């Protein structure tokens, strides 16, 4: 069974509230969804840190989590593959979401 792909992104510099939302709920997210997380340059967590976040019962699901500091040219492919986008409500993100006609949850900070 193919899992729904959730794309979390906070812009090129990342958005700490989106990153924290993902990391605080990582165990629940990876057990039900494929997660693509664009967390901003220099904000990636190391594998050891992710293993500390996840309870042992969910560590096998870590294969369902892919994190990137920044995605440039391939972002169009990530949008196309994603089922739902969770992001800040910046003008560029809104235009891209509209272009790809994807459902989204938008945050205002």
């Amino acid at each position: 069974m193919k899992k729904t792909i959730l794309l979390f992104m906070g812009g090129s510099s990342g958005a700490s509230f989106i990153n924290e939302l993902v990391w605080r709920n990582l165990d629940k997210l990876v057990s039900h969804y494929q997660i693509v997380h664009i967390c901003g340059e220099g904000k990636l967590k190391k594998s050891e840190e992710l293993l500390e976040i996840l309870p042992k019962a969910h560590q096998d699901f870590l294969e369902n989590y892919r994190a990137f500091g920044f995605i440039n040219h391939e972002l169009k492919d990530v949008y196309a593959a994603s089922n739902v986008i969770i992001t800040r409500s910046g003008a560029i993100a809104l235009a891209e979401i509209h272009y790809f006609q994807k459902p989204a949850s938008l945050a205002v900070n």
Side-chain angles (χ1 to χ4, degrees):
M1 181 171 114
K2 184 179 175 189
K3 291 187 176 187
T4 299
I5 300 171
L6 303 181
L7 168 60
F8 289 87
M9 61 182 205
S12 60
S13 61
S16 59
F17 69 96
I18 291 176
N19 291 343
E20 290 302 319
L21 172 79
V22 171
W23 293 323
R24 272 195 319 269
N25 296 286
L26 193 57
D27 60 333
K28 296 172 201 82
L29 290 168
V30 296
S31 63
H32 298 288
Y33 306 101
Q34 290 281 338
I35 305 301
V36 178
H37 182 194
I38 305 172
C39 51
E41 296 282 353
K43 296 184 180 176
L44 290 170
K45 287 203 179 282
K46 296 178 182 172
S47 296
E48 306 83 53
E49 293 173 294
L50 292 171
L51 290 173
E52 288 178 19
I53 292 172
L54 285 174
K56 293 218 183 286
H58 290 98
Q59 289 183 359
D60 289 344
F61 291 112
L62 197 52
E63 66 188 26
N64 294 332
Y65 176 75
R66 296 290 179 264
F68 304 89
F70 179 77
I71 298 177
N72 194 7
H73 300 293
E74 298 84 7
L75 187 57
K76 65 184 180 318
D77 299 322
V78 175
Y79 271 122
S82 298
N83 299 106
V84 178
I85 300 164
I86 298 94
T87 185
R88 296 184 311 173
S89 55
I92 293 173
L94 292 175
E96 292 169 340
I97 290 166
H98 176 73
Y99 177 82
F100 285 98
Q101 295 293 295
K102 296 291 180 167
S105 179
L106 305 172
V108 179
N109 64 339

